Amino acid sequence: MNFCSNCGTRVSHRIPPGDNLPRHICDACNTIFYENPKMIVGCVAEWEGKVLLCRRAIEPRHGLWTVPAGFLENGETTAAGAQRETLEEANARVEIDAFYALYNLPHINQIYMLFRGRLLDADFSPGAETLETRLCDEADLPWDQLAFATVRNTLIHYFNDRRKGEFGFHMGTIEPMARAR
Ligand SMILES: [Zn+2]
């Protein structure tokens, strides 16, 4: 940022007293602007053994597949955000069962929180940010056309856990350019 969003004065970028990281600082109105990671919430929504996937109509990764997920809004709980994203991207209503996976992406300042859930019915269709929606089993899932390593890792865990008959919780860190796994 170049200008204070509070008063419009040009900001400087330096370490405030008592801090240890540089921040944007407005010396006119004494505001310090802290930037923190963004949360992305989403869910693996199952219906009759298959999971709901969306083909992205937006960048990044236009045309590739993902589970419903997006940025958490202010004033929203994480599970409600995952339900909202499922409704927005796939016009689908989901009941959240459990928190399932957390991924740190420190190189792009994001944290993914993915839930497990069940579709309430098989009524779904592409939302505005989606080209195509589809229910996939492990065998017919477009593994080489997934949009994000977080989604790929989560789905690998999901089908492995389901085979074992026990869903655990999974946490990991995605490194830049890392192959998902
Ligand atoms: Zn200011």
Side-chain angles (χ1 to χ4, degrees):
M1 69 187 287
N2 294 315
F3 296 98
C4 175
S5 59
N6 191 41
C7 75
T9 304
R10 182 172 285 278
V11 295
S12 62
H13 194 243
R14 64 175 197 274
I15 300 176
D19 204 339
N20 55 13
L21 290 172
R23 317 284 182 185
H24 288 106
I25 300 171
C26 176
D27 292 308
C29 70
N30 293 315
T31 303
I32 302 173
F33 295 93
Y34 296 93
E35 290 174 56
N36 300 99
K38 292 225 185 311
M39 305 280 301
I40 290 156
V41 291
C43 75
V44 179
E46 188 170 318
W47 177 261
E48 293 182 346
K50 298 186 171 194
V51 300
L52 179 65
L53 292 190
C54 301
R55 199 153 78 85
R56 291 171 64 80
I58 52 169
E59 295 295 346
R61 317 288 164 85
H62 182 281
L64 297 182
W65 292 88
T66 181
V67 297
F71 290 109
L72 183 66
E73 299 286 2
N74 288 343
E76 185 175 56
T77 68
T78 51
Q83 287 177 307
R84 175 184 52 75
E85 288 292 339
T86 305
L87 186 63
E88 287 179 2
E89 296 186 358
N91 294 308
R93 287 160 304 124
V94 65
E95 183 163 311
I96 299 295
D97 286 330
F99 184 29
Y100 187 57
L102 184 149
Y103 290 102
N104 302 287
L105 292 84
H107 61 294
I108 50 172
N109 304 319
Q110 293 181 354
I111 299 166
Y112 267 72
M113 295 181 67
L114 294 162
F115 294 83
R116 286 191 292 111
R118 284 162 293 115
L119 292 180
L120 296 181
D121 53 59
D123 180 16
F124 58 86
S125 60
E129 299 179 350
T130 303
L131 296 170
E132 187 181 348
T133 46
R134 181 169 124 189
L135 289 170
C136 294
D137 206 343
E138 184 173 11
D140 59 20
L141 205 131
W143 289 104
D144 58 351
Q145 293 173 58
L146 294 177
F148 305 109
T150 50
V151 171
R152 181 183 159 85
N153 287 15
T154 300
L155 289 170
I156 289 171
H157 285 306
Y158 189 84
F159 289 112
N160 282 343
D161 283 358
R162 201 173 64 180
R163 240 187 322 274
K164 287 187 294 188
E166 188 179 5
F167 287 101
F169 171 73
H170 304 275
M171 186 166 71
T173 296
I174 306 291
E175 305 292 349
M177 304 303 290
R179 281 298 295 171
R181 190 163 271 284

